[in-house]
Amino acid sequence: MARSIASVPEQVNPLDCKPPDPPERPEVIVKVDDPDDPVDALEVRLQYSSGTSFQGDVRMRFDAKRGAFVYTLPAVTRAAVGDDARNIMIAVRLPSSALSPPLIDWIQFKAYCLGHVANG
C-alpha cells in the first residue's frame, strides 16, 4: 500500500510571465508499505496529468538510499501544460492492491501571467 506521496518542489511556475529557465522538473517521491513483498518485486505506477498534452503513466524506480520510489516528471512548461492548467494531478497505484484506491496529490502552480497592459 502506498503510504505517502510528495513532490519536490510542491509548487511550480510554468505560467508565470517569466517562467523558470530551465523549466522545473518536479520529482515525485512515494513511500510504500508492503510487508509481503520485497521492494524490488513491487511495481509502483505513477499517473500524472495537466492539460491535454502533459500526461503520463510510468513505472517508478526504487531509490534504496531514500527507501522510496521516485520519478522525475518531464519539464513543466506553458507549451506542455497549456494556458488553462492550474495544477498537475499525480496518482500512485500498486497493481497488487488493485482494490485499493490510488493515492492522489497535486502539484500546484504558483503564478499566472495574465498578459501585459500597454501604456497609452
Side-chain angles (χ1 to χ4, degrees), residues 6-12 25-29 66 72 107:
S7 62
V8 178
E10 293 178 350
Q11 295 182 331
V12 292
R25 296 191 64 203
E27 183 176 57
V28 179
I29 305 159
R66 292 190 260 187
T72 302
I107 300 171

Side-chain angles (χ1 to χ4, degrees), residues 86-109:
R86 294 297 173 250
N87 59 49
I88 301 168
M89 189 274 304
I90 49 180
V92 175
R93 180 184 299 276
L94 279 74
S96 60
S97 61
L99 298 179
S100 299
L103 188 60
I104 297 175
D105 199 6
W106 289 266
I107 300 171
Q108 300 297 323
F109 291 177

Side-chain angles (χ1 to χ4, degrees), residues 9 13-14 27 31 34 46 56 71 77 80 90 93 95 98-99 102 117:
N13 219 10
E27 183 176 57
K31 299 274 187 175
D34 188 338
L46 169 67
Y71 184 79
T77 64
I90 49 180
R93 180 184 299 276
L99 298 179
V117 176

Side-chain angles (χ1 to χ4, degrees), residues 52-97:
T52 57
S53 62
F54 191 80
Q55 300 179 15
D57 182 348
V58 297
R59 183 176 181 165
M60 300 183 78
R61 69 172 175 77
F62 185 73
D63 181 335
K65 287 183 181 180
R66 292 190 260 187
F69 287 85
V70 297
Y71 184 79
T72 302
L73 296 177
V76 183
T77 64
R78 180 183 292 272
V81 300
D83 291 335
D84 296 330
R86 294 297 173 250
N87 59 49
I88 301 168
M89 189 274 304
I90 49 180
V92 175
R93 180 184 299 276
L94 279 74
S96 60
S97 61

Side-chain angles (χ1 to χ4, degrees), residues 3 6 12 17 21 24 35 39 47-48 63 67 70 84 90 92 100 113-114 118:
R3 103 181 121 116
V12 292
C17 290
D21 185 21
E24 294 161 296
V39 291
Q47 294 176 313
Y48 62 90
D63 181 335
V70 297
D84 296 330
I90 49 180
V92 175
S100 299
C113 184
L114 302 176

